[in-house]
Amino acid sequence: MIAELPEYYFRVRENGAAVFRVDTGNRQQRIELEPIATVNLRSGEVRPQGGRALTEADRAEIGRWMAERAALVAKRELDDILRTVDHLNLTAQWVQSRATDDQVDQVAEALLLAMHDLRSVLVRHKADRLLKQSNPR
């Protein structure tokens, strides 16, 4: 078994986590996970579980995890977008070099609509940013 277990375990959920205190100090020498809180990353809310009050150490560790998790999620999100750029380039190469007419017909409409939507959002975002820079309040 692992020599030194962490004091807390975070079971990642969509937009947060369930937080457990890791307990190995029982008579059966089994690992027990005691639920102590749920975390919502979007709202920053931390809800104690089972009517318990969180200690300062609990809150500090949960806060540290939330900061690390938010940074990781942001990094992954940007990486996903950069992968999308790669996929668009690979798709263009596929259409140009290997796709059959039937395959192009199957994907063309969906791709064109998605690219049109993305282009509209990007242009609007850049225009708004330029307007804010030229008219600071």
Side-chain angles (χ1 to χ4, degrees):
M1 194 85 202
I2 300 172
E4 188 69 29
L5 291 172
E7 188 174 347
Y8 300 92
Y9 171 69
F10 293 83
R11 180 192 299 151
V12 176
R13 301 178 352 178
E14 187 163 334
N15 196 39
V19 184
F20 299 88
R21 185 173 289 116
V22 178
D23 179 18
T24 58
N26 55 56
R27 294 191 334 212
Q28 293 85 14
Q29 297 295 313
R30 294 186 347 199
I31 298 171
E32 302 221 1
L33 300 177
E34 175 189 355
I36 63 169
T38 58
V39 174
N40 183 315
L41 285 176
R42 185 174 298 130
S43 68
E45 183 179 20
V46 176
R47 283 187 170 159
Q49 294 296 300
R52 70 176 31 89
L54 298 176
T55 66
E56 286 302 314
D58 294 339
R59 290 194 177 281
E61 186 62 20
I62 290 169
R64 184 198 61 75
W65 180 87
M66 289 174 73
E68 285 181 6
R69 184 68 183 175
L72 178 63
V73 168
K75 181 180 174 183
R76 285 180 178 170
E77 185 176 49
L78 184 58
D79 188 53
D80 286 346
I81 300 304
L82 293 172
R83 286 178 206 227
T84 299
V85 173
D86 287 347
H87 282 282
L88 285 170
N89 286 316
L90 291 169
T91 301
Q93 183 62 33
W94 171 78
V95 168
Q96 186 176 32
S97 64
R98 293 189 316 275
T100 66
D101 289 343
D102 287 342
Q103 289 172 321
V104 172
D105 287 344
Q106 288 178 17
V107 299
E109 187 174 312
L111 278 169
L112 288 169
L113 286 171
M115 290 186 311
H116 173 74
D117 182 34
L118 177 59
R119 183 182 185 284
S120 298
V121 170
L122 288 171
V123 167
R124 192 170 34 249
H125 180 79
K126 284 185 117 295
D128 290 346
R129 195 172 81 215
L130 289 172
L131 281 174
K132 285 179 186 175
Q133 287 175 354
S134 66
N135 297 327
R137 291 181 187 208

